[in-house]
Amino acid sequence: MKHRTTGRTAATLLAAALTALSACAAPEAPSPSGTAEITQVSAGETEAAADTAEKNELTVLEVTRLMGNGINLGNTMEAYNHKGYLDGQDPTNFESLWGMPHTTQEMVDGMKAAGFDTLRVPVAWTNGMYYESGDYTIDERLFARVEEIVNYALNADMYVIVNDHWDGGWWGKFGSAAEETRNTAMEMYTAMWTQIAERFRDYSYKLVLESANEELGDGLNNKEQCEDSGALKGDEVFDKIYEINSRFVKTVRATGGKNADRFLLIAGYNTDFDHTSDDRYRMPEDTAENKLIVSVHYYGPWDYCGTRAVNQWGSPIQYKEQNETMARMTKFTEKGYGVIIGEYGVLTDGRPTPKPDTDIYFTNFLNNCDLYNYCPLLWDCNGLYRRREGKIYDETIAKLFLDRS
């Protein structure tokens, strides 16, 4: 079954619907009837879809289908060492600061061959910025390296997403008790995205820009770099998120070129399903039609996905919880917005061996994505996908993704 690019089969849709709409205890999706017709998509139809993507004639619901299953280049360009930059270090050296190998074209080609059609590239842009002095210019060396990796993905015929990712927690300035600090935060954010947008204004429409990572929410009151942060309360947080996302859209659109109608990814509240589904969360207005996508992340339940405390998944209650959570984002697709699950995973602490039940967890999760037309992006930091070797070591997980390509 092709998750997105070559279309879904009738058999796949039946399996996804049966699994996602029931709370069955079966460890994997029920098998569809053997009489279900398998729909094949010709090479000509695939090429036509790619041509339409380049002409930007797709809606968000169509493009999230084409973006397929994706993967993150985790713990790489967002590895944070702003202090090192202030001390005179080359910001491109930070790429391997958190233990990741230096990214190559071959690594990205391997991701594509493993069944991934989209690469998300998290970036810490203040790794190349003297923002304390009011100079928000991004260092050319950092810019050039990010651009090189973006080109790796485009060369591999992948979609690619670029954001500002955690970045040391500077986002807490938005929640400062001082108006001057809050204004400075917006000035810095605007300057950052003006430069990024201008740099990529004429790039392929397969490049998607993302307003933030998980910072829009609790991160706006983060005290790591702003001791008097925490001023935003209740509805004020939702209002500030709307203001930031609106500034992002206006800033990118104002640079013209392909940015005038490029697909833009709008960060949800904490990228959390519940907070983002709250009626107080609002998508920004846009001068382009059908070009906005909302971003959420999914690591539920955390004790299974993010800790070593639990090593089993698959009870009827767990199926039900996952299915019900995934259904919430249809609130956005029904209004014509796309949905990208920018991160999900059963984390392995960098080991290539998955936890028990990872395969059935992924299967049900991805079936939900198929059913609701969401684009899922695996969070991976040289764990399941081994970058130097260019493959997923575990045969079951490798087959799971390859079968959906």
Side-chain angles (χ1 to χ4, degrees):
M1 163 181 83
K2 175 59 181 169
H3 176 61
R4 302 288 187 227
T5 308
T6 58
R8 284 175 279 186
T9 67
T12 296
L13 285 172
L14 179 58
L18 289 172
T19 306
L21 295 180
S22 68
C24 62
E28 51 188 313
S31 299
S33 166
T35 62
E37 181 181 353
I38 304 297
T39 303
Q40 299 292 337
V41 178
S42 69
E45 288 174 307
T46 302
E47 291 172 4
D51 183 60
T52 301
E54 280 304 314
K55 292 178 180 177
N56 206 28
E57 297 173 349
L58 301 171
T59 68
V60 285
L61 300 180
E62 292 167 336
V63 82
T64 50
R65 184 184 299 274
L66 280 175
M67 291 177 76
N69 287 305
I71 189 169
N72 280 266
L73 192 71
N75 285 4
T76 305
M77 298 310 295
E78 84 278 25
Y80 184 73
N81 192 9
H82 177 68
K83 185 181 184 301
Y85 180 68
L86 296 181
D87 291 340
Q89 295 183 40
D90 184 337
T92 62
N93 292 338
F94 308 151
E95 181 174 348
S96 56
L97 183 67
W98 289 352
M100 298 298 106
H102 187 81
T103 310
T104 66
Q105 180 70 65
E106 290 72 23
M107 292 176 187
V108 177
D109 289 344
M111 293 173 177
K112 176 70 174 182
F116 299 108
D117 293 315
T118 296
L119 177 66
R120 182 170 180 253
V121 183
V123 182
W125 290 102
T126 67
N127 271 348
M129 184 189 295
Y130 295 108
Y131 67 85
E132 291 88 348
S133 65
D135 181 3
Y136 307 130
T137 304
I138 298 172
D139 191 294
E140 171 59 27
R141 293 169 295 180
L142 177 59
F143 243 141
R145 179 55 179 154
V146 172
E147 187 172 18
E148 187 173 30
I149 294 173
V150 167
N151 284 326
Y152 291 162
L154 295 175
N155 292 342
D157 193 27
M158 300 174 78
Y159 281 83
V160 58
I161 299 169
V162 171
N163 71 0
D164 185 50
H165 195 101
W166 179 63
D167 215 353
W170 74 266
W171 302 83
K173 296 177 184 294
F174 281 108
S176 170
E179 182 179 3
E180 181 180 359
T181 302
R182 297 195 301 270
N183 291 340
T184 298
M186 187 62 82
E187 179 183 341
M188 175 174 159
Y189 183 79
T190 304
M192 177 187 295
W193 277 108
T194 297
Q195 293 172 80
I196 298 167
E198 288 178 344
R199 182 79 172 215
F200 294 109
R201 69 190 298 274
D202 297 318
Y203 259 64
S204 164
Y205 284 116
K206 296 182 82 170
L207 170 65
V208 176
L209 302 178
E210 181 182 16
S211 65
N213 180 45
E214 298 173 348
E215 301 79 22
L216 301 192
D218 296 345
L220 301 180
N221 284 318
N222 191 322
K223 295 180 181 291
E224 287 179 273
Q225 293 194 28
C226 186
E227 292 183 357
D228 70 344
S229 190
L232 297 173
K233 309 295 182 183
D235 290 353
E236 293 175 334
V237 180
F238 284 95
D239 292 341
K240 183 59 69 173
I241 292 171
Y242 178 76
E243 181 185 351
I244 293 169
N245 279 331
S246 295
R247 179 63 63 90
F248 169 73
V249 173
K250 291 176 181 177
T251 299
V252 174
R253 296 290 184 233
T255 60
K258 291 184 178 179
N259 288 336
D261 57 354
R262 183 181 302 284
F263 289 102
L264 300 180
L265 186 54
I266 308 302
Y269 189 124
N270 289 346
T271 61
D272 171 75
F273 277 65
D274 290 339
H275 284 88
T276 305
S277 298
D278 190 301
D279 288 340
R280 291 173 292 175
Y281 177 85
R282 295 172 289 160
M283 291 290 280
E285 295 183 4
D286 191 11
T287 53
E289 186 176 357
N290 292 322
K291 301 298 179 184
L292 296 186
I293 310 168
V294 65
S295 174
V296 287
H297 296 172
Y298 187 74
Y299 294 106
W302 179 249
D303 56 359
Y304 173 69
C305 292
T307 78
R308 296 183 180 182
V310 176
N311 287 301
Q312 290 182 317
W313 186 90
S315 71
I317 291 176
Q318 288 171 327
Y319 270 96
K320 183 175 184 289
E321 288 176 345
Q322 186 180 88
N323 295 339
E324 289 179 349
T325 299
M326 295 291 284
R328 288 183 193 138
M329 295 307 291
T330 59
K331 170 180 180 177
F332 291 90
T333 56
E334 288 168 359
K335 294 178 180 178
Y337 297 112
V339 173
I340 289 179
I341 302 178
E343 295 179 20
Y344 76 93
V346 179
L347 307 184
T348 65
D349 294 328
R351 292 169 287 123
T353 304
K355 268 190 173 183
D357 301 328
T358 294
D359 57 333
I360 63 171
Y361 179 96
F362 281 178
T363 296
N364 194 65
F365 171 83
L366 294 174
N367 281 349
N368 271 282
C369 290
D370 282 333
L371 182 65
Y372 298 123
N373 199 27
Y374 306 154
C375 171
L377 309 178
L378 177 70
W379 181 258
D380 192 75
C381 305
N382 200 36
L384 292 178
Y385 177 83
R386 307 304 287 180
R387 296 184 194 175
R388 288 189 177 91
E389 292 80 4
K391 67 178 184 178
I392 297 173
Y393 262 55
D394 184 84
E395 292 183 1
T396 301
I397 301 300
K399 185 177 186 302
L400 188 154
F401 284 112
L402 199 56
D403 285 350
R404 304 176 95 92
S405 67

